[in-house]
């Protein structure tokens, strides 16, 4: 009996001790500062190896800073990305998890597994009186940004997503390349831009116009330009092109000017990291991550001015491509990637302009009694030596980058396929592009020579990084699922989670 009593007393003491610790922790948590300005940055398709690979690329090529800023944040951990229906997720379901704290089926945006709408952290922030901004380097109605304001059962419902954006008052500031459209509806992006103006949204085109954005405007939409669906790859950017950092600079100026007292929530997506991963294009991928980090530099400058009120969370929706660091023989030669001066997409475009037959002439209206286009000069395919020179100039093959005899034979076979001398597939189709196979093969060969090896051009089930800095950053160390992230943000920002 005494032994049982002693055991009971010991258990009771432990329970009381744990309870007192829990109570004191709860009081301590309530006394912690609440975040006023939240920045939520999502690198679409940005795997852990891609971030580390970018830093290696930068150090050996000089095409970026030696340190990728967020890779050195005080909190660095990782989270799982699976959806409710598949171990390998897509941007829609992953975006929904990052926005709502709920898992859903692959392809869903802002709805649960029963297709019921579920609210997002952007909606929680708005309901709590904060301003809301969303910026992306791809279309504003693409899957990831849409997960923060839309509720549809299929991510391809671009018309429904766009109309929800236009008629919703959740997002104060939005910025992106433009709008994706559904071909069968016959509506172009201009139609939706006009619809937005009809709802009182102020629309601006191109970075040169963003200086006209005023804080008294109720809702603002900044677009990269007219007739765009994505910003150019950073590696292809020309002077005057809009960049993600332009959206972020304008968004911060607007949101702080309008919601300095109430605070704001700003989601920023580097959307084209994923595009480069689908192409298995390492140099373009790394330059996109650098571009994403440049946008973060703008955020960090704001944080320096408001250090006790700002939270910065950086993560990804999933990993794309299965990038490995090291392509065998314990070697990497990242300096070789300096030979690539443009994206695979742009290189394909130049290849087709230089070598492929022109499109057939268009029939004209009745003019000079003929009604026919003038005859075109006969097309002749390029020689193998001309194609080799093209790859040498643009990728460094046979020059800086050695090509062995066996590899050249494979390239020559693809050359024959490309120009009809041999049957076979002459193009490579990825999720967002159709590239010439010879160009795609040459880019992948350069990647392997540099020590970067892709598994395939699709999503993987790998965990992704979570990098946090600012007020109460340490609380994110407990996150293990992507659904944990918005719930922690909401708690420490004081947002009322809506169900």
């Amino acid at each position: 009996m005494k032994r049982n009593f002693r055991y009971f007393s010991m258990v009771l003491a432990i329970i009381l001790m744990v309870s007192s610790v829990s109570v004191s922790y709860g009081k301590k948590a309530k006394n912690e500062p609440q975040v006023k300005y939240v920045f939520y940055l999502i690198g679409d398709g940005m795997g852990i190896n891609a971030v580390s690979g970018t830093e290696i690329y930068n150090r050996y090529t000089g095409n970026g800073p030696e340190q990728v800023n967020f890779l050195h944040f005080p909190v660095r951990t990782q989270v799982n990305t699976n959806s409710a229906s598949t171990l390998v997720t897509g941007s829609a379901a992953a975006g929904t998890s990052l926005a709502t704290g709920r898992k859903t089926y692959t392809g869903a945006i802002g709805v649960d597994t029963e297709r019921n709408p579920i609210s997002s952290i952007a909606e929680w922030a708005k309901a709590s009186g904060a301003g809301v901004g969303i910026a992306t380097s791809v279309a504003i109605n693409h899957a990831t940004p849409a997960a923060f304001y839309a509720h549809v059962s299929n991510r391809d419902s671009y018309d429904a997503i766009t109309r929800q954006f236009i008629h919703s008052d959740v997002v104060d500031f939005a910025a992106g390349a433009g709008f994706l459209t559904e071909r069968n509806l016959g509506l172009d992006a201009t139609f939706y831009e006009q619809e937005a103006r009809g709802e009182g949204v102020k629309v601006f085109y191109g970075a040169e116009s963003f200086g006209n954005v005023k804080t008294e405007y109720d809702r603002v939409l900044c677009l990269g330009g007219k007739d765009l669906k994505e910003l150019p790859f950073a590696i292809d950017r020309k002077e005057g092109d809009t960049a993600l950092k332009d959206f972020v600079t304008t968004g911060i100026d607007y949101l702080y000017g309008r919601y300095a007292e109430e605070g704001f929530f700003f989601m920023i997506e580097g959307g084209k990291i994923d595009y480069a991963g689908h192409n298995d294009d390492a140099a373009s991928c790394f330059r996109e991550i650098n571009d994403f980090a440049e946008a973060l530099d703008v955020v960090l400058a704001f944080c320096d001015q408001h250090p006790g009120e700002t939270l910065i969370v950086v993560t990804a929706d999933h990993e794309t491509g299965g990038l490995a660091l090291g392509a065998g023989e314990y070697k990497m030669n990242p300096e070789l990637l300096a030979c690539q001066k443009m994206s695979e997409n742009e290189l394909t475009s130049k290849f087709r302009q230089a070598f492929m037959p022109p499109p057939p002439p268009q029939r004209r209206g009745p003019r000079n009694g003929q009604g026919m286009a003038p005859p075109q000069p006969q097309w002749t395919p390029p020689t193998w030596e001309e194609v080799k020179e093209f790859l040498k100039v643009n990728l460094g093959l046979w020059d800086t980058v050695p090509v062995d005899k066996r590899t050249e034979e494979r390239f020559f076979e693809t050359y024959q396929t490309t120009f009809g001398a041999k049957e076979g597939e002459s193009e490579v189709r990825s999720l967002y592009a159709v590239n010439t196979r010879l160009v795609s093969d040459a880019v992948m060969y350069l990647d392997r020579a540099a020590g970067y090896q892709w598994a395939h051009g699709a999503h993987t089930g790998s965990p992704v990084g979570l990098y946090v800095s600012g007020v109460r950053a340490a609380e994110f160390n407990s996150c293990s699922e992507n659904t944990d992230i918005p719930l922690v943000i909401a708690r420490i920002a004081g947002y009322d989670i809506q169900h």
Side-chain angles (χ1 to χ4, degrees), residues 237-382:
R237 187 179 300 136
K238 298 176 179 61
E239 186 175 354
D241 288 343
T242 304
L244 182 61
K245 67 179 180 181
D246 297 321
F247 290 152
V248 174
T249 299
T250 307
I252 290 175
D253 289 345
Y254 173 84
L255 291 167
Y256 184 72
R258 191 172 176 87
Y259 293 98
E261 294 303 317
E262 298 90 341
F264 59 78
F265 169 87
F266 196 0
M267 190 288 290
I268 301 161
E269 183 202 19
K272 295 202 68 175
I273 301 168
D274 183 56
Y275 285 43
H278 280 291
N279 282 351
D280 294 343
D281 182 350
S284 297
C285 176
F286 301 152
R287 294 288 283 272
E288 284 304 305
I289 292 175
N290 282 334
D291 192 63
F292 182 66
E294 282 185 25
L296 177 56
D297 281 336
V298 179
V299 174
L300 290 169
F302 177 87
C303 185
D304 287 343
Q305 297 175 341
H306 308 275
E309 303 173 298
T310 306
L311 172 68
I312 304 170
V313 178
V314 179
T315 191
D317 51 356
H318 53 75
E319 194 273 349
T320 300
L323 181 63
L325 306 183
E329 299 182 3
Y330 304 97
K331 291 180 181 178
M332 289 189 72
N333 302 288
E335 67 278 0
L336 295 181
L337 283 188
C339 296
Q340 184 175 339
K341 302 299 193 298
M342 64 189 77
S343 69
E344 184 178 316
N345 290 3
E346 184 68 13
L347 195 58
T348 287
S349 178
K350 289 189 177 298
F351 183 92
R352 289 170 178 167
Q353 290 172 15
F355 300 130
M356 302 305 289
Q362 298 294 314
R363 183 181 180 87
R364 295 178 177 176
R367 185 178 298 172
N368 299 327
Q370 299 297 320
M372 294 295 292
Q376 300 293 311
Q378 186 175 3
W379 172 80
T380 56

Side-chain angles (χ1 to χ4, degrees), residues 408-422:
E408 181 167 348
E409 289 172 353
R410 288 200 298 267
F411 280 145
F412 182 71
E413 288 180 6
T414 308
Y415 156 80
Q416 291 179 305
T417 300
T418 303
F419 296 103
K422 191 173 183 179

Side-chain angles (χ1 to χ4, degrees), residues 10-32:
M10 182 177 66
V11 171
L12 180 61
I14 292 173
I15 292 173
L16 290 174
M17 181 178 67
V18 170
S19 299
S20 65
V21 169
S22 301
V23 170
S24 65
Y25 176 79
K27 289 180 179 178
K28 183 179 179 181
K30 290 180 180 178
N31 292 331
E32 289 279 2

